[in-house]
Amino acid sequence: MKGLSGISNDVRELLASKDPRAKLALDHFVYRISLYGGMLVAAMGGIDGLVFTAGIGENAPAIREAVAMRLTWLGLDFDPDANACNKTLISRSTSRVACYVIPTDEELMIARHTLAVLRAQCHAPEEKPR
């Protein structure tokens, strides 16, 4: 994002900027998400739901809306009001594809996985010398 905008890689800064390069970077970002999302949907033969998560997915309603508008061909009936209010379900009841915003705790998951690896190493049988 910084390479395209010349401003920042922080979506919050780009969304707040009036610089046309910020808009270019965000438009490209949305395009790539939609492109890869569409490819994954095709590879899976369709989807039942679409989930926005992590930093940008949880905290950037404008990005969620822009992506969702590019994916309406999936049968997604997006609810801009629910999105603006940061609701968990941001698709309408008429939508063939449900669309959600699900918070994550990436640091907690990394800590849990690290602890599991350390515990497994502590309890692993020692190798016998050959």
Side-chain angles (χ1 to χ4, degrees):
M1 302 263 257
K2 185 166 185 172
L4 283 175
S5 71
I7 299 167
S8 176
N9 63 346
D10 189 322
V11 169
R12 295 168 295 193
E13 288 181 42
L14 297 175
L15 285 168
S17 176
K18 302 277 187 222
D19 191 311
R21 296 174 304 161
K23 182 179 179 344
L24 170 69
L26 291 170
D27 287 348
H28 182 74
F29 181 65
V30 167
Y31 168 77
R32 297 300 285 199
I33 293 169
S34 305
L35 176 70
Y36 286 108
M39 285 192 279
L40 291 169
V41 169
M44 293 184 291
I47 59 172
D48 298 317
L50 176 67
V51 176
F52 289 96
T53 192
I56 297 169
E58 288 177 50
N59 300 303
I63 299 297
R64 292 193 303 258
E65 183 169 7
V67 170
M69 292 299 98
R70 293 185 73 94
L71 297 176
T72 57
W73 60 271
L74 295 172
L76 174 59
D77 189 3
F78 184 73
D79 184 343
D81 294 331
N83 181 53
C85 293
N86 290 312
K87 298 222 173 162
T88 300
L89 179 65
I90 58 172
S91 55
R92 293 189 173 103
S93 61
T94 55
S95 188
R96 288 192 326 244
V97 173
C99 189
Y100 297 95
V101 179
I102 306 291
T104 57
D105 190 339
E106 294 156 328
E107 291 84 3
L108 177 61
M109 293 309 299
I110 291 168
R112 285 181 178 166
H113 288 281
T114 302
L115 184 58
V117 168
L118 291 173
R119 283 183 175 152
Q121 287 179 347
C122 289
H123 299 299
E126 292 184 33
E127 281 189 36
K128 294 181 181 177
R130 292 184 177 199

